[in-house]
């Protein structure tokens, strides 16, 4: 009986460890690390990227205690996590008040662009609803782009799965060129989804380090 109890405890702790690992790393990457002890960087050719940032975060941070800010961010990002997961997307990381997610990796997904923009639309709706009762209301800007990225684990301690490439940088630039509570998308997103979603053409907008880019506001699904 003591042995059975000990075995049950071992299984329970192992399951906890598995759950924690999968909260940090995508399943395929976690399996590689468990089986081989390492994972190779991989290029993913068809990926959609979601990048958001909270408007006026620094100013609001001064108006509230650190505990209040962290609690509100935790509640807010937890809601975004649920939406991202519902649309088969993957959160990569948060950086302060910024949120980075992708669709199409590590498992390829034929609907990767539609999934990410539907998640973006739901996140705007979620934010609007939350602001009606939230202790600290947030407004966000969103940038969405598609292209190829390289994904891999950074470092040998405190593993972090991260993504790199010009596609990520462009999504961040699109977010910077956005306005509060709107979704700013690239021409590539527009071309992939025109006829399925409603867009507003913003024309060519100059982007630091990239020159003029044609941008569109994503309004709704048709």
């Amino acid at each position: 009986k003591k042995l059975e109890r000990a075995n049950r405890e071992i299984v329970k702790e192992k399951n906890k460890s598995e759950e924690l690992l999968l909260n940090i790393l995508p399943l395929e990457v976690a399996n590689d690390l468990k089986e081989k002890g390492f994972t190779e960087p991989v290029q993913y050719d068809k990926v959609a990227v979601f990048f958001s940032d909270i408007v006026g975060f620094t100013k609001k941070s001064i108006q509230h205690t650190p505990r209040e800010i962290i609690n509100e961010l935790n509640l807010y990002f937890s809601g975004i996590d649920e939406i991202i997961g519902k649309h088969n997307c993957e959160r990569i990381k948060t950086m302060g008040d910024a949120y980075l997610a992708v669709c199409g990796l590590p498992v390829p997904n034929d609907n990767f662009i539609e999934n990410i923009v539907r998640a973006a639309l739901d996140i705007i709706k979620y934010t609007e609803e939350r602001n009606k009762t939230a202790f600290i209301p947030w407004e966000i800007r969103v940038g969405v782009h598609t292209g190829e990225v390289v994904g891999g684990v950074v470092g040998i301690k405190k593993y972090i799965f991260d993504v790199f490439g010009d596609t990520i940088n462009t999504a961040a630039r699109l977010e910077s060129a956005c306005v509060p509570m709107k979704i700013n998308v690239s021409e590539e997103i527009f071309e992939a989804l025109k006829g399925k979603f409603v867009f507003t053409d913003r024309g060519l907008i100059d982007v630091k380090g990239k020159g003029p880019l044609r941008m569109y506001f994503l309004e709704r699904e048709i």
Side-chain angles (χ1 to χ4, degrees), residues 150-216:
V150 173
V153 170
V154 178
I156 57 173
K157 293 183 177 180
K158 297 184 179 179
Y159 289 128
I160 297 173
F161 179 82
D162 211 345
V163 287
F164 307 90
D166 188 59
T167 302
I168 306 298
N169 297 333
T170 300
R173 294 287 186 270
L174 287 162
E175 177 273 315
S176 296
C178 193
V179 299
M181 298 303 284
K182 297 293 283 185
I183 302 164
N184 195 31
V185 306
S186 63
E187 191 166 13
E188 288 82 352
I189 295 289
F190 169 75
E191 289 295 336
L193 298 180
K194 61 184 179 181
K196 296 180 179 179
F197 291 79
V198 176
F199 297 88
T200 298
D201 189 346
R202 303 184 68 199
L204 291 171
I205 296 177
D206 197 56
V207 174
K208 184 180 178 182
K210 299 188 74 67
L213 293 179
R214 185 168 291 279
M215 301 181 189
Y216 300 80

Side-chain angles (χ1 to χ4, degrees), residues 51-84:
F51 194 94
S52 72
D53 195 50
I54 294 175
V55 180
F57 180 76
T58 303
K59 184 179 178 181
K60 289 194 175 184
S61 296
I62 297 170
Q63 297 169 348
H64 299 276
T65 68
R67 183 182 293 275
E68 288 170 344
I69 291 292
I70 293 297
N71 286 343
E72 288 294 297
L73 269 183
N74 181 51
L75 288 169
Y76 182 55
F77 283 159
S78 294
I80 293 180
D81 284 345
E82 287 186 17
I83 294 167
I84 288 293

Side-chain angles (χ1 to χ4, degrees), residues 13-30:
E13 291 303 315
K14 184 181 177 184
N15 289 339
K16 275 187 190 175
S17 298
E18 291 277 335
E19 191 175 333
L20 284 170
L21 189 62
L22 293 178
N23 276 335
I24 299 168
L25 301 171
L27 177 61
E28 286 72 14
V29 174

